[in-house]
Amino acid sequence: MTVLTRERQSHGVAPPASGGTRWAWRGELMPLVALVLVTLIGGALRRYHLGQQGLWFDEADLVIRAREPWGHLFANFVRPGENGPLYTLGLSLWMRIAGTAEAAVRLPSALFGTLAIPVLYGLGRELRGPRLGLIAASLLALSPFAHWYAQDAKMYSLVILTA
């Protein structure tokens, strides 16, 4: 084994010429430029008409619960059937900063949905390379279901991001 290692080291591959380095750098840069473009498009779609519709029942219920006192929010962590208590706590903090308008309450979900696009690219790139990463990121950016959940004031897009 050591003989082979020494032999490989002595007959190592020569470094690529400067022209080859340029093409290799360009080959790595192009997927990243495409990823930025796909992420910007996905983010714009998730932000488009974010506050146009009123809150539906589940969103309004979450906003009401997020406005409760801190002690009650922390008590809900152990209550059976509580849906997303950590997200409710985070939304409570966010609402103290941004307010309770429809767009403000939905903005964290839109941001989580947008952040999921490059994260999925990274997963696809690790599995099969940049091409699969770009395909996966593009599908998530344009997916109507991902778009719907990213415009919902619930924890669904955070689940997509963390999954």
Side-chain angles (χ1 to χ4, degrees):
M1 183 75 171
T2 57
V3 174
L4 290 176
T5 306
R6 287 184 192 153
E7 189 175 306
R8 284 185 185 164
Q9 288 175 353
S10 65
H11 299 294
V13 178
S18 62
T21 305
R22 190 178 109 207
W23 287 109
W25 180 76
R26 187 175 180 194
E28 291 178 14
L29 182 65
M30 295 308 282
L32 293 179
V33 169
L35 174 64
V36 168
L37 186 64
V38 166
T39 304
L40 289 174
I41 291 169
L45 288 173
R46 281 151 178 76
R47 176 65 180 94
Y48 183 69
H49 289 290
L50 192 61
Q52 187 175 13
Q53 295 181 357
L55 297 175
W56 61 292
F57 178 77
D58 277 356
E59 292 175 308
D61 182 50
L62 181 65
V63 169
I64 290 169
R65 284 188 287 137
R67 295 179 78 184
E68 293 177 352
W70 290 101
H72 197 268
L73 287 174
F74 286 116
N76 286 342
F77 270 77
V78 294
R79 216 171 95 198
E82 183 64 25
N83 191 3
L86 189 59
Y87 185 82
T88 306
L89 182 64
L91 184 63
S92 177
L93 289 169
W94 174 254
M95 285 174 23
R96 293 175 197 274
I97 297 168
T100 58
E102 286 89 355
V105 171
R106 290 177 178 145
L107 188 59
S109 291
L111 293 175
F112 293 142
T114 303
L115 287 174
I117 296 168
V119 168
L120 187 60
Y121 167 81
L123 177 64
R125 182 176 180 180
E126 284 297 314
L127 292 175
R128 298 284 286 184
R131 184 175 178 185
L132 178 65
L134 281 175
I135 291 170
S138 300
L139 288 173
L140 183 64
L142 300 175
S143 167
F145 292 110
H147 179 245
W148 174 268
Y149 288 124
Q151 287 194 337
D152 194 3
K154 297 287 279 183
M155 75 280 182
Y156 303 128
S157 61
L158 179 60
V159 170
I160 293 171
L161 173 64
T162 57

